[in-house]
């Protein structure tokens, strides 16, 4: 699996935007970029995913570099409930059989009131 | 409400005992997964099942066993052969086992072997 690199930790003030970076320089042309987050003592939850174009949903936006070697998860207005570990994951597609999510250690996001 | 349930939330066992962790989903998902998480680490895949009566080993299957007799249930047994069983165990499901489908996770079971 192609590897991702994320900062270990980040801090942000409440009600401000947060930009969480992810480097994936060995990404292949068919790899999807997925983001999950894990709140303390809970299971991870899906945030967003994309392939080439920027994506928006109710939780966040995903900005993908033109060369696809990096991406940024954007939380537009951070709240205390956004404090979590954020994982950037590559999933090969559309091959059947790529079932697992390969989690690294992620970025621990702290929100300052 | 649709979702994934895992029970119990906390589980204590003596060394050398087998223990079975429950995972049930009512999302009508075909695929189910078991992950293990150690403190400060990401998740690692133990077993997964793409369909009823079928399952495959993940990255760290040694010392674990599973069954998939019903679509909604995917129990995990931690056997005495697992050398370091104390961990946070997470069950997940997805509509299909493909890279398109997001995985939905349960709340986890924290197993402590004394």
């Amino acid at each position: 699996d192609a590897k991702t690199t994320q900062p270990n930790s980040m801090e942000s003030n409440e009600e401000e935007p947060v930009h969480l970076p992810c480097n994936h320089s060995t990404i292949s042309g068919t790899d999807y970029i997925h983001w999950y987050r894990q709140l303390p003592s809970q299971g991870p939850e899906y945030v967003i995913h994309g392939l080439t174009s920027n994506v928006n949903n109710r939780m966040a936006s995903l900005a993908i570099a033109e060369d696809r070697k990096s991406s940024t998860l954007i939380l537009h207005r951070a709240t205390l409930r956004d404090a979590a570990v954020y994982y950037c994951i590559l999933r090969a597609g559309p091959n059947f059989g790529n079932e697992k999510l390969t989690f690294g250690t992620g970025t621990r996001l702290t929100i300052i009131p | 409400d649709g979702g994934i349930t895992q029970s119990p939330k906390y589980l204590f066992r003596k060394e050398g005992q087998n223990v079975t962790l429950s995972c049930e989903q009512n999302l009508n998902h075909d695929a189910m997964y078991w992950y293990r998480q150690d403190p400060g680490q990401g998740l690692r895949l133990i077993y997964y099942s793409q369909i009823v009566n079928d399952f495959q080993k993940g990255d760290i299957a040694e010392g674990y066993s599973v069954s998939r007799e019903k679509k909604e249930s995917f129990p995990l047994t931690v056997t005495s052969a697992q050398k370091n069983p104390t961990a946070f165990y997470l069950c997940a499901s997805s509509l299909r086992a493909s890279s398109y489908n997001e995985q939905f996770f349960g709340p986890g079971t924290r197993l402590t072997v004394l």
Side-chain angles (χ1 to χ4, degrees), chain A residues 63-75:
Chain A
I64 302 172
E66 198 168 331
D67 63 5
R68 300 207 330 122
K69 294 188 176 181
S70 65
S71 60
T72 302
L73 179 71
I74 303 165
L75 308 178

Side-chain angles (χ1 to χ4, degrees), chain B residues 20-108:
Chain B
T20 297
L21 281 58
S22 166
C23 177
E24 305 277 330
Q25 53 98 0
N26 61 2
L27 300 167
N28 200 32
H29 284 173
D30 282 340
M32 296 187 75
Y33 314 79
W34 273 105
Y35 292 87
R36 167 185 171 136
Q37 187 173 34
D38 293 286
Q41 303 297 313
L43 282 65
R44 291 183 290 167
L45 183 67
I46 304 172
Y47 267 98
Y48 63 95
S49 168
Q50 298 171 357
I51 199 166
V52 174
N53 293 321
D54 180 67
F55 49 83
Q56 286 81 41
K57 292 181 179 180
D59 296 324
I60 55 165
E62 186 176 348
Y64 299 98
S65 65
V66 293
S67 63
R68 186 86 186 277
E69 296 176 3
K70 298 187 294 183
K71 187 174 186 178
E72 58 270 22
S73 179
F74 191 41
L76 172 75
T77 296
V78 184
T79 75
S80 56
Q82 168 50 235
K83 292 188 172 66
N84 296 298
T86 294
F88 188 42
Y89 289 88
L90 288 152
C91 179
S93 71
S94 64
L95 186 61
R96 301 281 185 273
S98 81
S99 55
Y100 296 122
N101 298 131
E102 66 184 271
Q103 291 188 10
F104 293 82
F105 285 82

Side-chain angles (χ1 to χ4, degrees), chain A residues 34-52:
Chain A
H34 286 243
W35 284 82
Y36 282 73
R37 72 179 186 181
Q38 187 174 21
L39 278 64
S41 298
Q42 294 187 27
E45 65 172 339
Y46 167 83
V47 177
I48 201 167
H49 78 275
L51 183 62
T52 56

